[in-house]
Amino acid sequence: MAREEFFHDRSAPPANSIAPTAFAAVQDERGRMLLVCRTDSGNWELPGGRVEVGESAIAAAEREVAEESGVSIRVTRLVGVFTDPGHVMVYPATGEARQQFAVCFHAEPRCGEPQPDHDETCDAAWVDPAELSLLPIHPSMRKRIVHALTQPHTPHAD
């Protein structure tokens, strides 16, 4: 589903929905972060997605990471809760304008090698933190990544 993202943009339409999402900041034994590249925007991000009815945020993060990246994980603790109303995602096909509501967790990899799902993701990789500045990453996602890396034991809330 194609989408357009607005981040503190006065031209953004008002949000008309909110849906919980769950993401995971996964690092391997070498400190590299698991990232996926979105098919629709070409931006790199932490793997994750929508929490389904009847599913916990932890279960959603573990499921979404496996689906989008091919890596099975175990959630270990909270990175933070990100609810910036200035971040709106618009889905033109449906008319939905969704306000961000994301829970982000730290997680450890259990098994699997990064591979895209070729639906939502066109690439998946372990990325050295020193290389993050070279990748196109949406500002709201960069905030989650930076917080996970620089303040790993202090949950963020906004």
Side-chain angles (χ1 to χ4, degrees):
M1 175 187 302
R3 71 180 186 183
E4 185 176 359
E5 289 193 67
F6 296 86
F7 190 67
H8 297 274
D9 183 340
R10 291 181 185 263
S11 68
N16 58 27
S17 73
I18 190 165
T21 56
F23 293 83
V26 185
Q27 288 183 273
D28 68 5
E29 69 283 348
R30 293 172 42 195
R32 299 175 302 171
M33 177 132 331
L34 178 63
L35 297 179
V36 294
C37 185
R38 293 188 58 85
T39 303
D40 59 0
S41 68
N43 284 337
W44 287 83
E45 67 180 23
L46 299 172
R50 187 174 235 162
V51 178
E52 301 294 338
V53 173
E55 182 178 52
S56 72
I58 290 172
E62 292 175 343
R63 174 184 55 76
E64 286 281 350
V65 171
E67 288 175 2
E68 291 184 355
S69 74
V71 177
S72 175
I73 63 162
R74 183 181 74 81
V75 166
T76 58
R77 65 188 181 282
L78 184 66
V79 169
V81 179
F82 300 82
T83 60
D84 184 349
H87 183 197
V88 177
M89 290 155 288
V90 176
Y91 298 84
T94 65
E96 181 182 16
R98 185 185 311 158
Q99 177 183 324
Q100 169 187 254
F101 190 102
V103 179
C104 187
F105 298 101
H106 287 282
E108 58 188 26
R110 293 175 47 180
C111 64
E113 291 299 320
Q115 57 186 10
D117 67 6
H118 298 289
D119 179 27
E120 292 181 75
T121 62
C122 57
D123 202 354
W126 293 110
V127 177
D128 187 290
E131 298 173 358
L132 290 170
S133 64
L134 305 174
L135 297 175
I137 299 173
H138 189 274
S140 66
M141 185 59 66
R142 192 172 297 279
K143 180 178 180 178
R144 295 175 209 172
I145 293 168
V146 168
H147 188 84
L149 290 170
T150 63
Q151 299 178 40
H153 300 290
T154 305
H156 174 86
D158 75 3

